Amino acid sequence: LSLTLSQLFEYDDVNDTADLSQTGKVYPPYRLEEFTWDDANATINHSALTAEFTGRKASSAHFQNGSISFRIADYDGWGRAGELPRMLHSANCSQLEVVLTGVAPRGNRSRFALELLTVEDAGAQRQLNMYKSIDDEHTPTIFKVAELVAVAPGPGAALSYVQWKPVAYSSPRRAREDSVWCRIQGLRGGRNQTLPGLSIAFAYFTPQRVANLTAFNV
């Protein structure tokens, strides 16, 4: 499974529901392929197994002092991340954090949603699940876990998966009182059934191999 982060939506959440499908106004999206990205090599920490990709859109007045960052961490064993929401991980997992900083909102009640495109080989099937988790010790008040799983036809283990807690934080300190509920918009046919033109996914999936392309928003 390939996961491509394609667009950042901004919408006016008048009713404070985090529901993109019910909002009265959606602003033109920020297409991440149009951003300028810092050199991630300068952020690699070989000891902590982390790296960070930071992008900016200089042509947008709302991103003059803003950025979006993707922080990636690998692990060498079982455990939990040090910061909330303290996701469980193994040595076969990577963690991705999305950090939006300093972006000027275009509305009085703006919220943001990130579009993700998924790509699988022919025959793989996708399942987007939400289940309860009694995990208050590690993630206070967040009792749900979301996961996207790619499975092969017939019995057998999952081919790949992405798992996350449906929560965001309005402050870098990530305290309990800073938590904001996230809503997941379900799987749908990918945007025009194409990946962004410069997507690294083309290094792994040729046009002949891209059989299943879907999108969802978080």
Side-chain angles (χ1 to χ4, degrees), residues 116-120 126 148 187-191 193 212-216:
L116 298 97
L117 300 176
T118 71
V119 187
E120 300 93 13
R126 298 159 308 285
L148 175 66
L187 290 170
R188 64 186 189 281
R191 175 166 47 93
Q193 298 297 317
N212 296 321
L213 176 61
T214 56
F216 67 101

Side-chain angles (χ1 to χ4, degrees), residues 74-135:
D74 284 335
Y75 300 98
D76 56 6
W78 285 92
R80 288 187 179 273
E83 294 184 295
L84 290 174
R86 293 183 54 80
M87 293 295 295
L88 183 67
H89 62 75
S90 71
N92 196 33
C93 291
S94 299
Q95 179 172 290
L96 172 68
E97 296 182 9
V98 181
V99 181
L100 193 62
T101 305
V103 180
R106 288 177 280 185
N108 294 326
R109 296 181 177 87
S110 283
R111 277 187 188 261
F112 294 89
L114 188 64
E115 180 187 68
L116 298 97
L117 300 176
T118 71
V119 187
E120 300 93 13
D121 280 326
Q125 300 175 348
R126 298 159 308 285
Q127 298 175 359
L128 183 58
N129 306 315
M130 181 82 75
Y131 60 88
K132 292 184 178 180
S133 172
I134 303 176
D135 198 12

